[in-house]
Amino acid sequence: MLDLAILGLLQEGDLHGYEIRRRLRQSLGLVSNVSFGTLYPALARLEAAGAVRSVAPLAPTSEAPSGPATGSLSGELAALRARRSTLARPKRSKKVYRLTDEGRVLFTELLADTGAGDDARAFSLRLSLGRHLTVEARTRLLERQHDRVALRLAEVTDAASSAELDSYARCVVEHQADTLSNDLAWLERLIAAERASQHQPTTTSGRHAVAPANS
Amino acid sequence: MLDLAILGLLQEGDLHGYEIRRRLRQSLGLVSNVSFGTLYPALARLEAAGAVRSVAPLAPTSEAPSGPATGSLSGELAALRARRSTLARPKRSKKVYRLTDEGRVLFTELLADTGAGDDARAFSLRLSLGRHLTVEARTRLLERQHDRVALRLAEVTDAASSAELDSYARCVVEHQADTLSNDLAWLERLIAAERASQHQPTTTSGRHAVAPANS
DNA sequence: GTCATCATGTAAGCCGTTACATGATTGC
DNA sequence: GCAATCATGTAACGGCTTACATGATGAC
């Protein structure tokens, strides 16, 4: 889960840990701020696995320096110093990570992996990264979530109607049912949209896409 | 969290672990089935702390045997056998728990404790147990949740408008914002209802209630 | 008597948190 | 220089899950 989110962010450019943490909340709609105690070990793990590697800051591939200079002289000097020796980086300076080819493969695997992490957050994350999936894979993702939500809605509706609940407990389960049916309608709209684009394929169908069904 | 849920269920009658697990999902709207590996240690902990004690099944206080007999002769015999020696219970038979006075105190503390467990599930649980709170305590509970949700909604709305998100990520955060504002409206309705009952106090205001503000 | 189900428990391990420790940058 | 903030990491711990082991009950 966290690995997938990190790799997803790094698809769009090199980032250091602190910045990744900031964007995890903003971009991917992840509810809680991931703590450093989780994030840094995860990055170290990914680096050890060869999925990312640390590069010198302000390296030319991406994450452009937002103009000719940041206006900060000592910042530029620090960057130069860091560039001078990537390995002998000062103990606690920025450590910028970049996705490797191996990391891209891992990303694809994690994104397509249907079994792992079947909760709502995992679904939101995968859908947020939907542009890296084919139309077919996206549709399947949405359908699976639709089924899960429908099942849960049936359970909740059942509990609300049959059991003897006091007014507060009832109030809670009814709101839960309401939220779930709202989710369901949303999913159905999305599925319909995907189906439409599938039958009437336009321009950007399968670029960056995950192979739909070859295991 | 789990302790509070267990104590809440036991308020309404003696239960054994297996049954508690079943009801946790149904009654309290808890999303995931609590696993035995969590539940039984929790019960053991509560028993060690004196909040619950195990009693002989079919004891006369509550959890009435649903009729003169269950129709099962051997079941009755097993109950008799169990009643004969509560301490020398056969190794793996039902173990029925009952709330102690100490447990009721603990329940009240956990329910009123505002700081611990500030996530959505903790709120749902507390609201489900709302009848054990005073009007004032319930209102405060709702208001705190309202503030939290409003804050989160502001963050999500902000992220949706400002950041450069692709269509899928945007779709997710927009649905999230929609859900949050729906939650907010629901909370506002509940708060209004509580306020109305507060200014126009009817019959059952403060029974079973937690003292509102004496710490 | 045997199989499914009910029921209680233990052990290993994952995932994540808080708290702590440390170093680098930058503004004043 | 000094404080605030940025940035990286480690250690201790807790909650929860899965997998396993075991026993009791009831239907056939």
Side-chain angles (χ1 to χ4, degrees):
Chain A
M1 261 289 299
L2 178 58
D3 291 3
L4 177 58
I6 291 171
L7 296 175
L9 281 177
L10 288 178
Q11 291 272 0
E12 293 155 50
D14 302 348
L15 291 172
H16 56 95
Y18 205 84
E19 178 71 10
I20 288 175
R21 188 205 188 210
R22 202 180 61 75
R23 296 205 190 180
L24 275 177
R25 188 182 179 103
Q26 190 183 20
S27 303
L28 271 2
L30 297 196
V31 183
S32 58
N33 262 332
V34 180
S35 65
F36 295 126
T38 311
L39 179 60
Y40 286 121
L43 284 169
R45 212 178 342 106
L46 287 172
E47 189 174 18
V52 303
R53 67 177 212 275
S54 84
V55 298
L58 303 183
T61 300
S62 57
E63 193 67 4
S66 72
T70 57
S72 153
L73 181 60
S74 50
E76 298 291 329
L77 286 174
L80 280 172
R81 216 181 309 135
R83 188 152 26 191
R84 193 177 49 195
S85 60
T86 306
L87 294 174
R89 193 174 51 84
K91 277 186 190 171
R92 297 268 172 163
S93 63
K94 272 189 191 175
K95 194 171 174 185
V96 174
Y97 291 98
R98 175 175 301 170
L99 206 55
T100 65
D101 291 340
E102 206 173 332
R104 269 178 209 97
V105 172
L106 178 59
F107 173 73
T108 300
E109 286 172 1
L110 287 177
L111 187 55
D113 186 23
T114 62
D118 61 346
D119 60 354
R121 290 200 315 283
F123 166 75
S124 288
L125 175 60
R126 289 209 167 90
L127 185 56
S128 287
L129 298 169
R131 72 187 164 93
H132 300 284
L133 290 166
T134 59
V135 185
E136 293 81 11
R138 266 198 309 270
T139 307
R140 268 182 286 126
L141 176 66
L142 289 165
E143 284 169 347
R144 259 183 295 118
Q145 181 68 6
H146 180 277
D147 292 351
R148 273 197 293 267
V149 170
L151 196 66
R152 179 71 186 142
L153 176 59
E155 288 175 357
V156 168
T157 305
D158 197 56
S161 66
S162 75
E164 64 291 336
L165 299 172
D166 71 74
S167 57
Y168 289 103
R170 181 171 302 279
C171 172
V172 170
V173 298
E174 277 171 3
H175 177 61
Q176 217 172 123
D178 187 54
T179 301
L180 285 169
S181 64
N182 192 28
D183 289 350
L184 211 56
W186 176 67
L187 288 167
E188 279 161 10
R189 284 199 303 275
L190 290 179
I191 289 169
E194 292 292 344
R195 291 250 170 80
S197 83
Q198 206 166 356
H199 295 147
Q200 193 173 335
T202 54
T203 52
T204 61
S205 298
R207 288 178 49 214
H208 303 161
V210 172
N214 58 354
S215 63
Chain B
M1 262 290 300
L2 178 58
D3 291 3
L4 177 59
I6 292 172
L7 296 175
L9 281 177
L10 289 178
Q11 290 272 2
E12 291 154 50
D14 302 348
L15 292 172
H16 56 96
Y18 205 85
E19 178 71 10
I20 287 175
R21 188 205 188 212
R22 203 181 58 78
R23 296 204 188 181
L24 275 178
R25 188 183 178 100
Q26 190 183 20
S27 303
L28 270 2
L30 296 197
V31 183
S32 58
N33 262 333
V34 179
S35 65
F36 294 126
T38 311
L39 180 58
Y40 287 120
L43 283 169
R45 211 178 343 105
L46 287 171
E47 189 173 18
V52 304
R53 66 178 214 275
S54 85
V55 299
L58 303 183
T61 300
S62 57
E63 192 66 4
S66 73
T70 58
S72 152
L73 181 58
S74 49
E76 298 291 330
L77 286 174
L80 281 172
R81 217 180 309 134
R83 189 151 27 193
R84 194 176 47 196
S85 61
T86 306
L87 292 174
R89 193 173 51 84
K91 276 187 192 172
R92 297 269 172 163
S93 62
K94 272 188 191 175
K95 194 171 175 184
V96 175
Y97 290 98
R98 175 175 302 171
L99 207 54
T100 64
D101 291 340
E102 206 174 332
R104 268 176 210 100
V105 172
L106 178 59
F107 173 73
T108 300
E109 286 172 359
L110 287 177
L111 186 55
D113 187 23
T114 62
D118 62 347
D119 60 354
R121 291 201 314 283
F123 166 75
S124 288
L125 176 59
R126 288 209 167 91
L127 185 55
S128 287
L129 298 169
R131 74 186 163 93
H132 300 285
L133 290 166
T134 59
V135 185
E136 293 81 12
R138 266 198 309 271
T139 307
R140 267 181 288 126
L141 176 66
L142 290 166
E143 284 170 345
R144 258 184 295 118
Q145 182 67 7
H146 180 277
D147 291 351
R148 274 196 293 267
V149 171
L151 197 66
R152 179 73 186 139
L153 176 59
E155 286 173 359
V156 169
T157 304
D158 196 56
S161 66
S162 76
E164 63 291 336
L165 298 172
D166 72 75
S167 59
Y168 288 103
R170 182 171 302 279
C171 172
V172 169
V173 298
E174 275 171 4
H175 178 61
Q176 217 172 123
D178 188 54
T179 301
L180 285 170
S181 64
N182 193 27
D183 288 351
L184 211 56
W186 176 66
L187 288 168
E188 279 161 10
R189 284 199 303 276
L190 290 179
I191 289 170
E194 293 292 346
R195 291 250 170 80
S197 85
Q198 206 167 356
H199 294 147
Q200 193 173 336
T202 54
T203 50
T204 61
S205 297
R207 289 179 49 217
H208 302 162
V210 171
N214 58 356
S215 63

